[in-house]
Amino acid sequence: MGFREQASRVKRIVGIVLAVLLIGGVAVAVAAGRDSKDTSTATKTVRGVIGSEKAEFFADPDVVKALAAKGLTVKAETSGSWAMDRLPLKGYDFAFPGSKAPADELQRGSAVKGGPLRPFYSPLVVVAHRAAAQVLADNGLARLSGPTGGKLLMGPYLRAARTDRTWQQLKGAEKHAELTGTVFITSTDPVSSNSGALYLAAASYVADGGRVAADDAAIDRTAPLLKKLIQVQGAQQTSSDAPFRDFISGVGNPLVLVYESQVASLLMQHQDTGDLVVLYPDTTVSSDHTLVPLTDTGRRLGELLSTDPELRRLVVRHGFRPQGASAEFTAATADHTDYIDQQLTGVRQAPVPTATVLRAMARRTRG
């Protein structure tokens, strides 16, 4: 092969290699272009700390998708609502406790204008196994409206708690071997958990003749009873999720304080509820899930949860009641009114003491 032929051949090979490299380069450029395009339209990450009862909501793929459509990706960590103010929240965009009192404390540390937002709420309820609910009703501690729903009468229940009433002292309990020991409601740790603290708020309000505790004297009047309500339980969880799951699986105490949202979500998912009965305390407290914006991006998240139709629909699907539009919740739970009291008929809402007073109450239950 002559020099010219060899040079020509090398030239053709180099040309082919360059063409391949060029094509590869275009492919890389397209991929990079796609990456660049994805980056330019990427959602903005919003970091926050939330009560554990909202973890499933924010982990729901449909919620993630709905937020992404609005340009946000939420990265949330869970904490007890009453422990959030002790967390180092620098670098976070929002805090989302389960009620207004801890939110008010968190708001004092926020420079964002406009105050907290309350996108949704959920009343506290007591879930009971059918036998336990029937025995309570037969002894004047509850009133049943059907086989799966009714009211817990807080006055009679607290009087029973004050005298350390046992199941064995209630007529009809002897037919059910599982109903033994002191009658009590399993709740969460009131020092760190929202539902546990709100339980004390409702109980103290009823026990003190419909007065909201506002000072040390008021705390003193109800402290012995509240201490009994908590100490009879032994070790407590910091989240209502574990006691509720235990209840549904058939273990644990026959009376458990949970959020209505936990029950409603279970029903709307068509999961087996066993012999569950929902007792609405005739005096209760609603858990106002209150988002405290720590940055403008956090405020945008709160506004979307409050106003966006798709996100409100998903809020309801997780059992929460959106603020300002009961029709959404009513429609979604229309097939479950044997469990869910949509209008909260005959249920009185107890005002909640300040965070300072409620913390003092919780500490008194410990010693």
Side-chain angles (χ1 to χ4, degrees):
M1 180 181 297
F3 174 79
R4 291 191 178 186
E5 290 178 322
Q6 185 173 3
S8 176
R9 184 178 179 185
V10 168
K11 188 176 181 179
R12 284 198 302 273
I13 292 172
V14 169
I16 293 170
V17 170
L18 287 173
V20 170
L21 289 174
L22 179 60
I23 293 171
V26 170
V28 170
V30 169
R34 286 175 181 162
D35 288 344
S36 175
K37 183 178 179 181
D38 287 346
T39 301
S40 65
T41 60
T43 58
K44 185 168 185 177
T45 298
V46 192
R47 291 188 65 208
V49 57
I50 63 174
S52 59
E53 69 284 340
K54 294 181 283 288
E56 287 190 6
F57 171 77
F58 281 107
D60 183 336
D62 290 336
V63 173
V64 173
K65 182 179 178 181
L67 287 169
K70 298 297 181 179
L72 298 180
T73 295
V74 173
K75 300 293 184 184
E77 302 167 24
T78 60
S79 166
S81 292
W82 290 82
M84 287 184 187
D85 67 320
R86 297 191 291 274
L87 297 176
L89 294 176
K90 184 177 181 180
Y92 286 76
D93 297 290
F94 70 96
F96 205 172
S99 60
K100 181 177 181 296
D104 288 342
E105 287 194 335
L106 289 160
Q107 178 61 28
R108 285 192 280 273
S110 173
V112 178
K113 295 181 180 180
L117 302 100
R118 292 184 290 166
F120 46 84
Y121 67 101
S122 184
L124 289 173
V125 299
V126 174
V127 290
H129 292 299
R130 190 164 298 141
Q134 189 62 60
V135 170
L136 292 179
D138 290 344
N139 288 269
L141 304 181
R143 184 172 57 249
L144 299 182
S145 56
T148 58
K151 299 286 188 298
L152 176 73
L153 307 181
M154 284 292 285
Y157 167 72
L158 292 176
R159 286 193 290 274
R162 187 177 283 112
T163 58
D164 302 312
R165 189 82 60 85
T166 65
W167 286 103
Q168 290 91 326
Q169 293 172 322
L170 301 181
K171 64 181 181 182
E174 71 279 357
K175 301 174 185 176
H176 308 283
E178 73 277 11
L179 299 180
T180 61
T182 305
V183 177
F184 68 89
I185 295 169
T186 292
S187 64
T188 53
D189 181 359
V191 173
S192 61
S193 171
N194 184 61
S195 59
L198 296 184
Y199 179 40
L200 297 187
S204 67
Y205 180 79
V206 174
D208 205 20
R211 289 179 288 183
V212 184
D215 52 29
D216 290 341
I219 295 173
D220 290 341
R221 286 194 296 271
T222 60
L225 173 60
L226 300 186
K227 186 174 180 179
K228 282 191 174 187
L229 295 178
I230 300 304
Q231 294 202 348
V232 70
Q233 300 181 46
Q236 291 179 290
Q237 300 278 355
T238 57
S239 165
S240 61
D241 184 59
F244 183 58
R245 290 183 185 278
D246 287 346
F247 177 90
I248 292 299
S249 64
V251 299
N253 192 44
L255 303 174
V256 180
L257 185 79
V258 300
Y259 295 106
E260 177 196 61
S261 58
Q262 292 171 284
V263 178
S265 175
L266 196 75
L267 292 168
M268 286 187 279
Q269 293 173 31
H270 304 289
Q271 294 189 29
D272 182 20
T273 56
D275 66 346
L276 178 145
V277 177
V278 182
L279 299 175
Y280 285 78
D282 59 2
T283 300
T284 190
V285 176
S286 282
S287 178
D288 287 319
H289 296 280
T290 307
L291 188 147
V292 179
L294 303 176
T295 65
D296 290 338
T297 307
R299 169 160 290 282
R300 171 160 169 73
L301 172 63
E303 291 170 348
L304 285 172
L305 292 174
S306 301
T307 61
D308 181 74
E310 175 62 7
L311 285 168
R312 287 174 67 91
R313 183 186 71 81
L314 293 169
V315 160
V316 170
R317 192 171 81 181
H318 282 267
F320 299 107
R321 295 177 181 241
Q323 292 283 3
S326 60
E328 294 163 298
F329 183 83
T330 300
T333 58
D335 293 335
H336 308 294
T337 53
D338 47 346
Y339 292 94
I340 302 297
D341 186 347
Q342 295 177 319
Q343 305 305 320
L344 300 178
T345 308
V347 175
R348 179 171 55 168
Q349 290 291 322
V352 179
T354 65
T356 300
V357 170
L358 208 45
R359 285 185 192 280
M361 278 185 183
R363 288 194 297 269
R364 289 286 292 276
T365 67
R366 294 301 184 196

